[in-house]
Amino acid sequence: MENSEAIALTAALLTAAGDLTKRINDGVVARGFDARPAYGFAFARLAPDGATATDLAAHLGVTKQAASQLVDELVRKGYAERRPHPGDARARLVVLTESGWACTRAAEEAALEAVRPWVELLGESEVRVLCDRLRRIAPYGPLRPTW
């Protein structure tokens, strides 16, 4: 692969990821949720069993202070709540509320809408192949935003 091809591939993947993030967040907002993309990345870690602010910071690749501020925002908006941690009396577990779960479901619906143009352009079987190929090369680990 030539350098120019590698740059083109990188640009295409990053553009697609950015577009998907925007389309999903726009779909969530259109469904009545006051959200921003960082919420979805946090929800991915909080679901299904919750997490501490320290866990969330590691997942997002941010400081504990930044994660704590995000948790404060999620709690203030009613998407998450703090509970006693069952295994550590000093820690607090952050879990999604029913509103947080509803927001997650809205994101799933918006994601389906976001990839629909791909299916129309490439066909369902090609999109499945693309998904399979990306899963094979994508690193295992947390889904992180690009700050």
Side-chain angles (χ1 to χ4, degrees):
M1 175 174 270
E2 300 285 325
N3 279 347
S4 60
E5 292 171 319
I7 295 288
L9 174 61
T10 302
L13 286 171
L14 291 172
T15 301
D19 182 60
L20 282 175
T21 301
K22 182 181 180 334
R23 285 174 179 248
I24 292 168
N25 192 72
D26 288 351
V28 168
V29 170
R31 286 167 172 78
F33 294 91
D34 181 14
R36 55 191 184 95
Y39 295 5
F41 293 103
F43 288 3
R45 177 61 184 93
L46 297 177
D49 299 321
T52 65
T54 301
D55 295 334
L56 187 58
H59 172 79
L60 295 174
V62 299
T63 65
K64 185 178 175 201
Q65 292 78 12
S68 292
Q69 289 175 349
L70 180 59
V71 168
D72 288 344
E73 189 174 334
L74 294 173
V75 168
R76 196 169 43 254
K77 290 187 177 186
Y79 296 133
E81 65 184 11
R82 291 180 178 93
R83 294 184 181 165
H85 193 289
D88 184 350
R90 300 167 298 160
R92 303 284 286 164
L93 192 63
V94 181
V95 298
L96 294 178
T97 62
E98 183 51 45
S99 183
W101 284 108
C103 188
T104 298
R105 289 188 295 275
E108 290 170 355
E109 293 169 5
L112 180 61
E113 286 178 4
V115 299
R116 191 168 289 131
W118 296 7
V119 174
E120 292 169 2
L121 179 68
L122 301 173
E124 199 161 322
S125 64
E126 286 294 318
V127 172
R128 283 196 176 109
V129 169
L130 174 63
C131 183
D132 178 61
R133 299 295 191 269
L134 288 172
R135 283 183 180 151
R136 287 175 53 195
I137 63 173
Y140 176 78
L143 181 61
R144 289 186 171 157
T146 302
W147 303 103

